[in-house]
Amino acid sequence: MSIAENIADLRARMEAAARAAGRDPREILLCAATKMNDADRVREAVAAKVDCCGENRVQELVQKKVLGAYEGKPLHFIGHLQTNKVNKVVGQVDLIQSVDRTELLEAVNKAALRMGLRQEILLEINIGEEPQKGGFTPAEALEIAAKAGEYPGIFLRGLMAIPPISEKKGDNCKYFAKMRNLYIDIASKKYDNVSMVCLSMGMSDDFEDAIAEGSTMIRVGTAIFGPRHYT
Ligand SMILES: *Cc1c(COP(=O)(O)O)cnc(C)c1O
């Protein structure tokens, strides 16, 4: 199947999942996780109307951006971001989804202030409490949201999570539900510098469960582009 056919198929599945959950399908955006796919393939996905592109690695992002791969759609950063590379990402993307530690939050804030802009971000949550993974705990996320006003270079727009690798369908529902509760909790507080519009969760293998549990953005790679070939 072509990229466009895969996206059409995905859209149908997203819509069915939304309806099954009693949700309006328009509430859920499709982010193409474009890692390891070249500019031409990314352009195909953009032409087939994904809602945005999410890139994992700074070098890939810079290279494909020069080639105009993302033109016409918002660009997000969704991978691990080293603090010494924030200058290449801040101001270059519409949203950094993967702010996963205080050091990075502070570096993004500083870079944005220096550039005279306000960078939209999500906080990445280590919702499965996996020791090898980055991300804030829900308690830390609440604390950061409460003092987001102290970071005028950022604008907190929501939360992102990558739950543990699941063994079977449905395993991640409990994590997605936890994320939704945290998201609603922060949104209800009306903190300065916080306006929650994005709950980014769900990938190729579990997006239907994520939609059932309240996701507003799924990040999909394999189901759009096919398997990635790691070298
Ligand atoms: C690769 C990636 C995805 C998409 O994964 P698939 O299983 O291929 O859909 C989503 N989010 C992040 C952060 C990723 O790195």
Side-chain angles (χ1 to χ4, degrees):
M1 290 225 293
S2 70
I3 288 170
E5 285 168 330
N6 286 340
I7 290 171
D9 188 60
L10 254 175
R11 288 285 189 193
R13 287 173 62 194
M14 288 170 71
E15 183 166 336
R19 293 202 192 286
R23 300 183 59 196
D24 181 343
R26 288 169 303 186
E27 285 174 19
I28 303 132
L29 300 179
L30 174 58
C31 176
T34 48
K35 61 174 174 274
M36 306 193 61
N37 284 280
D38 64 20
D40 283 341
R41 291 170 65 76
V42 174
R43 246 187 305 262
E44 266 185 77
V46 167
K49 297 200 167 57
V50 295
D51 295 298
C52 59
C53 294
E55 202 61 76
N56 278 72
R57 296 183 186 87
V58 175
Q59 200 187 347
E60 268 189 66
L61 181 145
V62 171
Q63 285 170 349
K64 290 179 225 175
K65 200 165 194 240
V66 172
L67 297 171
Y70 316 109
E71 247 159 57
K73 289 294 171 189
L75 173 60
H76 296 181
F77 192 79
I78 63 174
H80 179 74
L81 182 55
Q82 292 170 263
T83 47
N84 63 0
K85 293 197 177 145
V86 292
N87 287 333
K88 294 191 172 145
V89 176
V90 170
Q92 297 297 315
V93 300
D94 298 281
L95 181 70
I96 302 176
Q97 296 200 13
S98 46
V99 175
D100 59 358
R101 59 201 190 280
T102 305
E103 184 199 20
L104 179 60
L105 178 74
E106 286 172 354
V108 169
N109 179 58
K110 241 180 159 172
L113 289 176
R114 201 166 45 228
M115 295 175 196
L117 52 88
R118 201 164 164 224
Q119 177 66 58
E120 298 198 15
I121 66 158
L122 306 182
L123 297 178
E124 181 172 345
I125 310 300
N126 185 353
I127 200 64
E129 295 173 55
E130 297 170 277
Q132 80 282 12
K133 245 188 214 170
F136 296 103
T137 65
E140 288 168 342
L142 272 166
E143 271 174 45
I144 290 167
K147 58 174 195 183
E150 295 173 21
Y151 300 99
I154 63 115
F155 187 20
L156 178 55
R157 302 297 268 162
L159 305 175
M160 184 270 246
I162 306 167
I165 293 169
S166 62
E167 314 237 298
K168 55 181 194 305
K169 276 232 176 295
D171 275 359
N172 284 336
C173 287
K174 59 180 183 294
Y175 299 117
F176 293 143
K178 268 190 174 175
M179 285 295 295
R180 183 194 55 225
N181 290 336
L182 177 62
Y183 180 79
I184 291 172
D185 195 6
I186 294 174
S188 71
K189 299 259 165 63
K190 311 268 180 276
Y191 292 128
D192 280 354
N193 227 2
V194 179
S195 172
M196 303 292 270
V197 296
C198 186
L199 178 56
S200 173
M201 57 187 195
M203 313 201 292
S204 293
D205 288 335
D206 59 11
F207 70 86
E208 279 139 331
D209 289 338
I211 289 171
E213 299 294 343
S215 171
T216 72
M217 178 175 288
I218 63 170
R219 306 175 312 270
V220 178
T222 310
I224 292 177
F225 299 106
R228 288 177 289 273
H229 301 287
Y230 291 94
T231 45

